[in-house]
């Protein structure tokens, strides 16, 4: 069981899908007609034993709320856990400042109130399967404040353009984070998924 709070984040300004985003957020995009992009991170969390999940929204919440409902179809234990949809209450004048960090700040009381020492943050717009319990155990063993999930690829010249890439040292510590501009074939692509120790970080 992954003893952590799960948070599903919304896309940053680097994730753009022209046309569809005018009607619904990326997390609510249909996948095979039945699922939504949000289903992947939430399923990863519930299958890893995470029972308290927060989903953050930036705008256009209707399609997300209709799909998520009470969260019962994700087999979340209603006695010990639950699914909560949150958003930044004070929308800034500029959309440049309407990002997930602002939402975390606006909802910090809900994060702290969940009473978990660790938090798993996952994006609502990436499709992958992962055991977050294993991630959390490795994170705890490392003693780090933050663990970043990444994937090493050899097709970065044509794929993952504008995604964050990680420059690592020999101990796999992050030296810097850059955007993939297609200049190099092999890159470490950030999956924008993090295991975080709450003390002094969130």
């Amino acid at each position: 069981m992954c003893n952590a709070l799960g948070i599903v984040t919304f896309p940053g300004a680097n994730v753009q899908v022209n046309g569809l985003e005018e009607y619904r957020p990326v997390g609510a995009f249909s996948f095979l007609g039945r699922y939504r992009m949000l289903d992947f991170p939430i399923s990863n969390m519930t299958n890893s034993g995470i029972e308290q999940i927060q989903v953050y929204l930036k705008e256009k919440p209707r399609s997300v709320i209709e799909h998520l409902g009470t969260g019962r179809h994700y087999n979340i234990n209603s006695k010990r856990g639950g699914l909560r949809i949150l958003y930044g209450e004070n929308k800034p004048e500029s959309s440049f400042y309407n990002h997930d960090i602002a939402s975390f700040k606006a909802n910090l009381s809900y994060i702290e109130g969940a009473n978990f020492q660790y938090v798993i943050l996952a994006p609502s717009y990436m499709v992958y399967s992962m055991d977050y319990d294993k991630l959390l155990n490795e994170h705890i063993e490392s003693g780090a404040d933050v663990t970043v999930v990444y994937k090493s690829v050899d097709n970065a010249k044509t794929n993952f353009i504008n995604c964050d890439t990680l420059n690592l040292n020999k101990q796999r510590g992050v030296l810097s984070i850059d955007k993939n501009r297609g200049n190099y074939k092999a890159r470490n692509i950030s999956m924008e998924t993090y295991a975080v120790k709450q003390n002094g970080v969130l």
Side-chain angles (χ1 to χ4, degrees):
M1 177 179 175
C2 187
N3 191 25
L5 170 67
I7 294 180
V8 180
T9 62
F10 55 74
N14 62 313
V15 180
Q16 297 178 352
V17 182
N18 293 332
L20 291 175
E21 279 189 284
E22 297 178 9
Y23 305 98
R24 58 178 57 194
V26 175
F29 284 4
S30 177
F31 188 91
L32 298 178
R34 177 180 177 184
Y35 304 102
R36 300 291 184 269
M37 297 293 288
L38 271 167
D39 290 333
F40 291 92
I42 295 175
S43 293
N44 281 337
M45 289 178 179
T46 57
N47 290 331
S48 301
I50 295 177
E51 295 182 332
Q52 289 195 34
I53 300 171
Q54 297 178 359
V55 177
Y56 284 78
L57 297 178
K58 181 178 181 180
E59 56 190 356
K60 302 180 181 71
R62 182 179 301 164
S63 56
V64 172
I65 293 172
E66 288 178 350
H67 180 70
L68 295 182
T70 62
R72 186 175 298 174
H73 53 288
Y74 295 107
N75 295 321
I76 298 174
N77 188 317
S78 58
K79 290 184 178 180
R80 295 181 298 185
L83 183 68
R84 175 172 278 165
I85 300 172
L86 298 170
Y87 55 94
E89 295 180 6
N90 299 318
K91 189 172 182 179
E93 295 181 4
S94 172
S95 60
F96 181 79
Y97 297 102
N98 190 10
H99 45 61
D100 51 3
I101 302 300
S103 289
F104 297 154
K105 184 178 179 181
N107 293 287
L108 190 59
S109 60
Y110 290 101
I111 297 174
E112 294 174 338
N115 200 27
F116 285 96
Q117 186 177 5
Y118 298 97
V119 179
I120 302 292
L121 298 106
S124 61
Y125 45 91
M126 287 193 176
V127 177
Y128 65 89
S129 177
M130 186 170 195
D131 182 355
Y132 291 145
D133 188 41
K134 181 180 179 182
L135 168 64
L136 181 61
N137 289 333
E138 292 178 354
H139 170 69
I140 294 172
E141 289 177 7
S142 73
D145 288 328
V146 179
T147 296
V148 185
V149 177
Y150 67 92
K151 179 178 178 63
S152 298
V153 302
D154 60 4
N155 58 348
K157 274 187 172 289
T158 56
N159 295 293
F160 307 102
I161 303 299
N162 291 328
C163 288
D164 288 340
T165 63
L166 308 178
N167 297 315
L168 309 176
N169 60 22
K170 293 182 179 179
Q171 292 76 36
R172 294 193 301 170
V174 178
L175 297 173
S176 63
I177 302 176
D178 302 313
K179 293 294 182 185
N180 177 30
R181 305 302 184 193
N183 298 324
Y184 303 96
K185 183 178 180 181
R187 300 294 279 167
N188 297 314
I189 303 297
S190 170
M191 304 300 289
E192 299 187 38
T193 299
Y194 310 91
V196 178
K197 187 175 182 180
Q198 275 215 60
N199 300 3
V201 179
L202 280 178

